[in-house]
Amino acid sequence: MVNYVIEGGNLPVVICTLEDGQSMITESGSMSWMSPNMKMETTSNGGLGKAFGRMFAGERMFQNRYTAENGSGMIAFASSFPGCIRAFEITKGKEVIVQKSGFLASETSVELSVFFQKKFGSGLFGGEGFIMQKLSGQGMAFLEFDGHVVEYTLQKDQSIVIDTGYLAAMDATCSMEIQSVPGVKNMLFGGEGLFNTLVNGPGRVYLQTMPISNIAGVIRPFLPSSN
């Protein structure tokens, strides 16, 4: 298991210490600093099929593998947006579903794959719901979320209604479906959109308070026009 520390508050970075020969995988461009004995290798990490799958899920096709050589090494991965970095221990039966672009880095024994919701409506109206990412295998993984994260543990008979974009991650034991906002007046004038996401337990749900898509919508009117 990789040793790590997360620093930086709401501008976080995870600093990992690797033993000799130990490796980590990250998206290209995510490495922030490292010791000189860390060897980098660009890889498709599973072949072109998985590379195209990652691209479809919002990640880059190729990943970078960093390996400590001739002794222990240090490597740091910083978040790309103000928020938080969370560490997840992935094991069989403890897989995690995460939003697109939420993967930051992991041990090489963790597998990143595309996850499709079974209900097609989730793809049309669920924001991040249709194409997400699934972390499986065994090892530590680090995910980056937008803003602060609020965590709920749902029992088998419990659910939570979430506005589009606020669902950051959930246990693979959870399920998700789309609900329309009741009432035509609520849909047209409520300002909350037409659909909400319903997540059903059992399992943990991670909600982010500042989705980057919402931030983009807020600042768009203040950007200079191209005309």
Side-chain angles (χ1 to χ4, degrees):
M1 197 69 66
V2 65
N3 293 317
Y4 69 91
V5 60
I6 298 175
E7 299 183 359
N10 61 359
L11 299 170
V13 61
V14 56
I15 304 171
C16 302
T17 302
L18 279 61
E19 299 298 326
D20 187 15
Q22 193 173 15
S23 300
M24 292 191 71
I25 283 284
T26 184
E27 297 302 307
S28 58
S30 296
M31 191 279 295
S32 300
W33 60 84
M34 63 183 181
S35 57
N37 66 322
M38 296 296 299
K39 177 186 176 182
M40 187 194 84
E41 177 190 5
T42 301
T43 173
S44 62
N45 197 21
L48 287 180
K50 290 189 176 181
F52 278 108
R54 285 191 298 270
M55 181 183 68
F56 195 57
E59 300 288 354
R60 299 184 181 182
M61 289 184 63
F62 293 91
Q63 296 178 315
N64 291 336
R65 179 188 293 119
Y66 293 91
T67 304
E69 293 188 335
N70 302 316
S72 62
M74 178 271 295
I75 187 168
F77 308 99
S79 180
S80 58
F81 187 76
C84 61
I85 294 174
R86 288 289 189 94
F88 289 79
E89 184 177 354
I90 307 298
T91 61
K92 185 176 181 180
K94 290 181 62 179
E95 294 87 3
V96 173
I97 308 300
V98 63
Q99 65 175 346
K100 293 188 296 183
S101 303
F103 175 77
L104 182 60
S106 75
E107 294 185 81
T108 53
S109 52
V110 174
E111 181 178 350
L112 178 66
S113 59
V114 181
F115 176 81
F116 292 94
Q117 285 294 336
K118 294 181 180 178
K119 295 186 177 180
F120 188 66
S122 299
L124 296 178
F125 309 114
E128 304 294 333
F130 182 49
I131 305 173
M132 299 181 76
Q133 297 178 103
K134 183 176 182 179
L135 299 177
S136 56
Q138 179 126 14
M140 293 300 301
F142 302 97
L143 307 180
E144 57 175 324
F145 300 139
D146 304 335
H148 179 68
V149 167
V150 179
E151 178 181 340
Y152 292 94
T153 299
L154 302 178
Q155 303 303 317
K156 186 177 181 180
D157 57 346
Q158 289 183 313
S159 303
I160 187 169
V161 179
I162 308 166
D163 192 7
T164 299
Y166 286 87
L167 176 61
M170 64 183 184
D171 287 345
T173 52
C174 293
S175 62
M176 191 187 79
E177 55 188 279
I178 299 304
Q179 285 185 334
S180 60
V181 174
V184 175
K185 184 168 68 174
N186 293 337
M187 286 186 176
L188 296 179
F189 307 112
E192 298 295 340
L194 302 180
F195 300 93
N196 287 321
T197 300
L198 179 69
V199 174
N200 306 295
R204 294 168 299 172
V205 180
Y206 302 85
L207 307 181
Q208 57 191 6
T209 62
M210 193 172 61
I212 192 171
S213 56
N214 288 24
I215 301 300
V218 169
I219 66 174
R220 188 174 296 116
F222 301 96
L223 297 177
S225 174
S226 57
N227 295 331

